[in-house]
Amino acid sequence: MQSYSTSTNTSGDQCIADNTVSTCSNLNVGQGTTSYVESDSALDREFSEDAEHIQKPFTHETAAKLNRLRNQEHSLIYRLPPELLAEILLLAVDWRLWSVEQLRPLASVSTSWRDTILSCTRFWSVMDALASEKARRTAMKRNPEGPVDLWCKGRPSASALESFINDVKTIKQTRLRSVVCDYREEMSEFMKWLQDQNSAFIDVLITNDCTSSVPVHLELSSEGPALRHIDIRAVILPWQSPRLTNLRTIHLAYLRFSAPQVNHLYTILSSSPELERLSLVSVGAADGESPGSLPATARLIELPVLKTLVFEVAGTIAQEVIPLIRASECHTVIADGGVVLEPREPIMKLIAKPITLSDTLMLRMEDRNGTFIHIFSGPSLSDSRVYWVRDRPGVNVKIAIPSARVLSMFWNWLDSTLLSYGGTIPITSLDVEWTEQDFPFPFSLLEHCPVLTRLRFSDDFGTILHPLIQFLGANGTPNLEYFRFFAKTIPNLEDCVSDTKEMLERRYPPSTDEVDADEAKALPVFRLPQALVNALQQRGVSTSLNFGKQINGPTMFGRLLGL
């Protein structure tokens, strides 16, 4: 519960207002006007002097307070409880760039906002190494007993760092809530001090910016609360610590030695049901280190509120852990860094929701050290620390496809999972690169994309072209604006010519009126293999589309870029 000091004297304001009214009432204007005018001049002069003497010191202050009372009566925001107003103002602060100066514009809006900011200790929790000594003294004065967040970011000078360390040493250990630190060699004294002062920490965000290969360790005290957020980059923690439970965010990066083993990670995740973000980047066992293994009785890892899952790691850690995760609300899934996942139904359920939240999708069949399909829908990860991270939904995974039968199973799983999310996905742009003629493309996927406007295929063998033309001829993807198909060969050219001619004439019949420039721009564009375009021109097509404008082959520039 946040404590507030009483900076505003509302009762005092009301007292001043009451006194003003009482003075006017005591004049008894209704009956005493004549008496007041005809009163003795000496008494009149004495009263006037007394009134001026009383009024003078309070004129400006009273006017301000009366204005405040008027605002409170007529503006709803002034009727908010101070705790609620403080919550609103805290949301208006950019905590990535906190400073006393940043609070000044908010505090300048009104006296009420100023008093709220000055009295709420949560605005003054940061002790920043880059701030001036005066700013830190102000923060300590405004927050004499509340939680403290230690910031040692950027590159403070040696004198600023020394002053900062001296200031934080005066703070009780039980008040230290979090540390955000960009570690460098000259901060070794600060890191040494942290080893014995972290028993109250709930957030640990440390990046090792040191260029040397010397590892940086933070020995967590076994006594203390469970951590809430950890964002560790090239810093080693005791991975079996009892405080690594009930975590809400985990970001581990650039751990090439003393990384958590598979069993450690399993224990951490299994004991953190409220986990919202899990990110492992360049984490793996070094040469000679054991990656560990799952316990014999490993159960599913239920993470019902997980939003982001990132495994950019090498080795077996992703293969062991990801299939156990159940996260129905996950909207960003990335498994990169050489990770190729096995085609299992839980994997399909994990990637389905991110696909339903995407507007672009890329499918690429690749054959490098085994055949796999690369599924990418444009996710992006924020490089900010976990406090301020905003990830973009999407999926980026590779799924092993050892045979056509496995591919068929994979599509069936994905199809049924997409149906469970409503059956339609907002994909407007689909890119497909298919290099294996023995692996059929699942056209049922296109049925889930009713708003698809751009469709681009690259199929060296041309085996997909004919069934794709048949799909479009059945009025598939009715909103299509751009279609491109690249193939080196067309195995069934005559069938493709007949069905393409029928599709174009049915979907885009000739117009009885002359098509103006704006209408021409709205017509779809078909970039087809040149052999097919030539054959269509020789056959003749009765359509509103124009050869050379809407129907043409790939340009030289387009062939170079794959467009």
Side-chain angles (χ1 to χ4, degrees):
M1 179 66 69
Q2 180 60 53
S3 62
Y4 294 84
S5 62
T6 307
S7 294
T8 57
N9 188 358
T10 307
S11 60
D13 295 347
Q14 190 62 50
C15 181
I16 292 173
D18 291 342
N19 288 340
T20 305
V21 174
S22 300
T23 304
C24 295
S25 300
N26 291 337
L27 291 176
N28 198 4
V29 175
Q31 298 179 4
T33 303
T34 303
S35 174
Y36 177 77
V37 172
E38 295 178 353
S39 63
D40 182 79
S41 59
L43 181 62
D44 185 21
R45 185 170 56 255
E46 183 180 350
F47 176 83
S48 299
E49 291 174 355
D50 289 343
E52 183 180 357
H53 175 71
I54 294 172
Q55 182 181 0
K56 187 174 182 179
F58 295 102
T59 299
H60 297 293
E61 183 179 354
T62 303
K65 291 183 177 180
L66 287 174
N67 287 335
R68 195 185 315 163
L69 288 174
R70 180 194 61 195
N71 291 336
Q72 290 171 350
E73 291 176 0
H74 296 285
S75 178
L76 294 178
I77 194 170
Y78 287 98
R79 302 181 191 178
L80 290 174
E83 295 86 353
L84 184 55
L85 178 59
E87 292 293 339
I88 295 172
L89 295 179
L90 285 165
L91 292 174
V93 176
D94 186 349
W95 289 97
R96 296 171 300 174
L97 306 170
W98 180 93
S99 68
V100 174
E101 288 302 317
Q102 194 201 30
L103 297 178
R104 193 180 302 279
L106 278 178
S108 300
V109 171
S110 70
T111 306
S112 175
W113 287 26
R114 175 182 177 275
D115 290 345
T116 300
I117 291 172
L118 290 177
S119 60
C120 178
T121 59
R122 291 168 64 188
F123 287 97
W124 307 95
S125 63
V126 175
M127 288 288 288
D128 189 357
L130 293 177
S132 65
E133 292 184 42
K134 181 180 178 181
R136 286 200 297 270
R137 284 197 299 269
T138 300
M140 287 190 285
K141 178 182 178 182
R142 294 294 172 187
N143 180 25
E145 297 180 357
V148 175
D149 303 310
L150 303 180
W151 285 13
C152 194
K153 304 188 300 178
R155 304 184 72 86
S157 64
S159 58
L161 185 61
E162 181 181 2
S163 174
F164 169 74
I165 294 174
N166 290 334
D167 284 342
V168 299
K169 285 182 177 180
T170 65
I171 302 172
K172 292 181 180 179
Q173 178 179 340
T174 54
R175 294 178 58 201
L176 301 177
R177 176 174 58 182
S178 71
V179 58
V180 181
C181 177
D182 295 331
Y183 177 79
R184 292 178 289 119
E185 290 182 351
E186 52 266 38
M187 295 181 182
S188 57
E189 182 183 350
F190 177 61
M191 183 60 69
K192 182 179 179 180
W193 177 81
L194 284 180
Q195 306 293 341
D196 302 321
Q197 303 293 324
N198 62 65
S199 62
F201 283 162
I202 59 174
D203 300 338
V204 176
L205 293 78
I206 304 179
T207 297
N208 178 11
D209 288 337
C210 185
T211 56
S212 70
S213 59
V214 178
V216 175
H217 296 258
L218 178 62
E219 295 297 333
L220 291 176
S221 169
S222 59
E223 301 294 329
L227 296 183
R228 179 180 59 174
H229 303 296
I230 58 171
D231 188 331
I232 299 298
R233 310 182 189 202
V235 177
I236 300 170
L237 294 179
W239 305 115
Q240 294 176 290
S241 170
R243 296 177 65 187
L244 295 178
T245 59
N246 294 316
L247 287 157
R248 292 179 58 184
T249 51
I250 301 174
H251 178 70
L252 308 179
Y254 314 120
L255 292 173
R256 297 180 179 86
F257 36 76
S258 300
Q261 296 183 350
V262 171
N263 51 314
H264 299 155
L265 186 61
Y266 172 80
T267 301
I268 294 171
L269 297 181
S270 298
S271 60
S272 301
E274 298 299 314
L275 190 67
E276 298 177 11
R277 190 176 193 266
L278 170 61
S279 175
L280 275 67
V281 178
S282 298
V283 174
D287 294 340
E289 291 184 343
S290 170
S293 60
L294 291 171
T297 58
R299 298 181 179 182
L300 298 179
I301 303 173
E302 299 289 346
L303 302 175
V305 296
L306 187 71
K307 294 295 187 295
T308 298
L309 172 65
V310 181
F311 274 76
E312 295 185 357
V313 297
T316 61
I317 188 168
Q319 298 285 6
E320 295 277 351
V321 176
I322 292 180
L324 295 177
I325 294 176
R326 299 295 181 270
S328 59
E329 295 302 314
C330 196
H331 60 54
T332 304
V333 177
I334 297 176
D336 207 348
V339 177
V340 179
L341 300 174
E342 295 298 323
R344 304 181 187 179
E345 188 173 5
I347 301 298
M348 302 307 103
K349 293 182 177 180
L350 195 60
I351 69 174
K353 187 177 181 67
I355 292 177
T356 65
L357 299 175
S358 305
D359 56 11
T360 64
L361 181 63
M362 185 273 293
L363 303 174
R364 177 180 297 165
M365 184 71 75
E366 300 184 22
D367 187 7
R368 290 180 297 174
N369 299 322
T371 303
F372 61 86
I373 184 170
H374 185 188
I375 305 175
F376 180 85
S377 66
S380 65
L381 298 178
S382 171
D383 194 43
S384 300
R385 288 184 168 95
V386 294
Y387 281 155
W388 311 291
V389 71
R390 294 291 184 273
D391 298 326
R392 179 182 175 183
V395 61
N396 182 11
V397 298
K398 296 180 178 71
I399 309 293
I401 305 294
S403 67
R405 183 185 65 83
V406 172
L407 179 64
S408 177
M409 260 172 42
F410 169 83
W411 290 124
N412 288 336
W413 285 333
L414 184 59
D415 185 64
S416 61
T417 307
L418 290 175
L419 286 173
S420 69
Y421 283 104
T424 61
I425 53 181
I427 299 294
T428 60
S429 178
L430 175 62
D431 284 78
V432 179
E433 186 174 329
W434 221 248
T435 58
E436 294 292 327
Q437 59 179 335
D438 297 329
F439 290 78
F441 181 78
F443 292 99
S444 60
L445 178 64
L446 298 178
E447 297 174 357
H448 293 289
C449 308
V451 296
L452 189 67
T453 59
R454 298 179 67 85
L455 180 58
R456 288 169 287 194
F457 267 82
S458 179
D459 174 20
D460 288 351
F461 300 99
T463 55
I464 299 176
L465 179 58
H466 187 226
L468 181 58
I469 294 297
Q470 291 178 319
F471 175 82
L472 296 177
N475 206 32
T477 62
N479 300 306
L480 193 63
E481 297 175 0
Y482 180 87
F483 174 74
R484 188 222 64 179
F485 195 101
F486 173 79
K488 293 181 178 179
T489 61
I490 304 177
N492 45 359
L493 180 59
E494 284 300 318
D495 292 337
C496 287
V497 172
S498 299
D499 286 340
T500 303
K501 179 178 183 298
E502 180 181 345
M503 180 270 293
L504 293 174
E505 291 178 342
R506 192 181 67 79
R507 290 185 60 148
Y508 313 103
S511 175
T512 56
D513 301 324
E514 185 177 352
V515 179
D516 60 27
D518 291 336
E519 290 175 333
K521 290 180 180 179
L523 292 174
V525 173
F526 283 79
R527 292 194 181 277
L528 303 172
Q530 192 62 54
L532 179 57
V533 174
N534 295 338
L536 287 171
Q537 285 182 300
Q538 293 176 1
R539 182 79 60 91
V541 182
S542 180
T543 177
S544 58
L545 304 184
N546 181 275
F547 280 91
K549 291 184 178 179
Q550 285 85 35
I551 305 174
N552 50 36
T555 63
M556 180 63 71
F557 183 71
R559 285 196 295 269
L560 291 175
L561 295 181
L563 299 176

